[in-house]
Amino acid sequence: MDEQHATRRAQEIIRQATDGMVPKPTLKQVGPGPVGPCLADDDATASGRKQVGLTYQLTDVPGSEAKRLLRHVRDAWVKKGYTFISRDADWSVPFPKFFMRTPTDDFWMNGIIGPTNKEAGEGIVAISVTSPCFAETAQTPSGANPAAHRTPPGTTDAERRALGHSSRIYEALGVPYQEQAGDGVSRVEDGADVLTHHTWSTVPLSKEARRGAMRRGRDSLSGAGWDVRALSLENDEEMIVARHHVDGSLARVAASANGSVRVAVTAVDDEGFRPA
């Protein structure tokens, strides 16, 4: 993921939503520039990560057509296999809204109607697309995101996959990272395969916060199409084990003895890669 790829993908998702609309609206871009700091990072200035966000108003159409146009957006994204983050819009209200995501690459979208004439129930549709965060400058694993550094030349595809999956899990957990002994990337031989491991930990958390982080991690992995299992551990704790449906990577997310959440992601190097 980089700025160019994120921008192209966000524009594609917008086009998917608006193709074939009748009456055909004019797309008016609103808001700040499309590239901004990563909102998931505790200190976006320190992490250097960016994300792309595009918002358009659908203008030059009658306000009475807003709900029909918004339903077109919803139907187009559902047809593409995109999923709701919570639930579908309440279409019985005058100005509905909904929130969705792309399960394969985790772009987040929403569609809303802003009222222009409340009494008449007329409004204007706005649709937004936000990319995942991506590294813009060189980082170290001790930054805000354990996988936010740009990999050096010669980095294997397996390492990129492991770091990419780690980054998504970090964003899903929603708690700060804290470097511990043994964190980082390692490679080991396992028979004919060469495995790349990336391990990292969160800060120590209260039991309630730890359960919340584990729940968000489990939901994010399931929503992204991983095959997920939740295993019960001692002291009423939980461990999540998951396998990626495309590249076969494995992830383990578990509560550790010091109260932190420990994450381990394993990817198979290209020579031993076996699609799921």
Side-chain angles (χ1 to χ4, degrees):
M1 179 73 67
D2 57 25
E3 179 180 331
Q4 185 178 21
H5 172 265
T7 301
R8 285 200 309 265
R9 177 62 170 139
Q11 291 171 340
E12 177 189 32
I13 294 169
I14 293 290
R15 287 195 300 270
Q16 291 168 346
T18 56
D19 281 351
M21 278 187 168
V22 178
K24 186 175 180 60
T26 299
L27 270 63
K28 177 184 177 183
Q29 188 171 344
V30 296
V35 181
C38 175
L39 299 179
D41 287 348
D42 297 321
D43 187 350
T45 302
S47 75
R49 295 202 307 160
K50 305 289 185 181
Q51 64 186 149
V52 169
L54 293 176
T55 299
Y56 290 92
Q57 290 180 340
L58 309 188
T59 63
D60 296 334
V61 294
S64 58
E65 295 291 321
K67 187 178 288 190
R68 190 157 66 88
L69 294 182
L70 186 65
R71 193 182 291 272
H72 180 106
V73 173
R74 188 278 311 269
D75 291 346
W77 283 341
V78 168
K79 187 176 181 180
K80 289 294 182 181
Y82 305 156
T83 57
F84 292 100
I85 295 173
S86 54
R87 62 182 65 183
D88 194 0
D90 181 358
W91 297 100
S92 66
V93 302
F95 307 108
K97 59 184 176 181
F98 60 81
F99 302 87
M100 300 181 71
R101 64 183 290 271
T102 64
T104 55
D105 49 9
D106 207 28
F107 280 67
W108 289 46
M109 309 92 75
N110 66 65
I112 64 172
I113 296 178
T116 56
N117 186 330
K118 288 187 176 181
E119 290 72 20
E122 297 181 351
I124 186 168
V125 175
I127 54 178
S128 299
V129 177
T130 303
S131 78
C133 297
F134 51 87
E136 189 75 359
T137 57
Q139 299 294 315
T140 64
S142 60
N145 184 327
H149 60 288
R150 186 179 295 278
T151 54
T155 300
T156 67
D157 287 341
E159 184 170 343
R160 292 189 180 93
R161 289 195 298 271
L163 292 171
H165 292 321
S166 280
S167 184
R168 295 295 175 83
I169 294 171
Y170 170 81
E171 291 167 10
L173 297 185
V175 293
Y177 161 67
Q178 179 173 292
E179 189 169 4
Q180 296 187 20
D183 282 353
V185 176
S186 61
R187 301 178 73 208
V188 298
E189 292 187 8
D190 182 14
D193 293 332
V194 178
L195 307 180
T196 296
H197 300 292
H198 182 227
T199 56
W200 55 276
S201 300
T202 71
V203 297
L205 303 167
S206 68
K207 190 169 187 177
E208 181 179 357
R210 192 165 58 251
R211 284 182 171 178
M214 294 286 291
R215 182 181 65 253
R216 291 190 295 273
R218 182 178 64 246
D219 292 346
S220 176
L221 289 167
S222 296
W226 291 65
D227 181 15
V228 179
R229 294 181 62 191
L231 307 176
S232 298
L233 302 177
E234 296 180 357
N235 302 322
D236 199 28
E237 297 287 1
E238 182 182 63
M239 178 172 68
I240 300 164
V241 291
R243 185 173 187 270
H244 194 267
H245 67 294
V246 174
D247 64 27
S249 297
L250 302 176
R252 185 182 64 185
V253 185
S256 64
N258 69 352
S260 65
V261 175
R262 184 77 169 164
V263 178
V265 178
T266 300
V268 181
D269 278 24
D270 296 336
E271 296 83 357
F273 173 56
R274 304 286 189 274

